[in-house]
Amino acid sequence: MRKSRYTAEQISKAIKDSEDGIKVKQICENLGISEATFYSWKKKYAGLNTAQGRRIKELEESLHSLSRELQLISSDKQLLQSIVNEFFTTGDKRKAVAFLQNTHSVGTRRSCRLLNISRSVYHYPLSCDNQ
C-alpha cells in the first residue's frame, strides 16, 4: 500500500475547512488533489478527530502487513506439506505425529492435519503395516 503524501492532520484540517464553509474546489487546489480524493477522505475520516484518524491509519497498515504475513505462512505450509507427502512413508508420519504430541503438547487432530495424515490411519494398528 502506497504511503500518503498527506498526514492525518492535513486531511482532518481539509475536512474541517470544508465544514467551516471553504469551497471544496479551493481546498483541493491548495492541496493539489482531486475532488474525488477529497470526498473519499471525507467519507473515511468525517467525524473523527486527528488522533482517531491516525489510529485508523495505523490499524490499516497493521492489517495489511498481517495479511501479507498470513499469505507467506500459508504458502510455506503448503510447501512443507508437499515435501511431507512426497518423501515420508505412513510409518514416518506416525512417528512425527507422536513426536509432535510428546514434545510440543499438540493434539492428535492438529498434528495429523499438519502432517496430512488421517486420524484413522494414525490410529490403525501398526501390525497391519508389517504385512
Side-chain angles (χ1 to χ4, degrees):
M1 189 161 93
R2 196 180 100 213
K3 185 173 168 85
S4 176
R5 294 186 304 179
Y6 302 98
T7 62
E9 289 85 10
Q10 290 174 317
I11 294 170
S12 62
K13 184 182 180 313
I15 293 170
K16 188 174 184 315
D17 288 345
S18 76
E19 292 170 354
D20 290 342
I22 299 175
K23 295 190 177 195
V24 173
K25 190 171 188 172
Q26 184 181 0
I27 295 170
C28 293
E29 287 175 0
N30 290 343
L31 290 174
I33 59 171
S34 69
E35 289 185 28
T37 302
F38 175 80
Y39 286 116
S40 68
W41 286 353
K42 189 172 182 179
K43 182 174 138 185
K44 195 177 215 178
Y45 298 107
L48 301 177
N49 62 26
T50 306
Q52 290 171 332
R54 193 176 311 118
R55 179 73 178 142
I56 286 174
K57 256 191 163 134
E58 290 171 1
L59 290 173
E60 286 175 348
E61 291 171 3
S62 174
L63 177 66
H64 185 68
S65 66
L66 288 173
S67 64
R68 222 175 322 142
E69 284 183 40
L70 180 63
Q71 287 176 344
L72 286 173
I73 290 171
S74 296
S75 66
D76 288 350
K77 180 185 175 207
Q78 288 176 345
L79 290 171
L80 292 172
Q81 279 186 337
S82 67
I83 289 172
V84 167
N85 290 338
E86 188 69 28
F87 296 107
F88 288 89
T89 64
T90 305
D92 294 335
K93 289 181 184 180
R94 284 184 178 141
K95 289 177 187 174
V97 168
F99 174 78
L100 287 174
Q101 289 175 337
N102 295 331
T103 57
H104 298 290
S105 301
V106 177
T108 306
R109 183 175 291 176
R110 183 173 177 204
S111 55
C112 286
R113 187 178 63 238
L114 288 172
L115 294 167
N116 207 13
I117 182 175
S118 68
R119 286 184 294 151
S120 60
V121 169
Y122 172 72
H123 290 296
Y124 200 74
L126 290 175
S127 60
C128 294
D129 276 345
N130 297 334
Q131 293 178 355

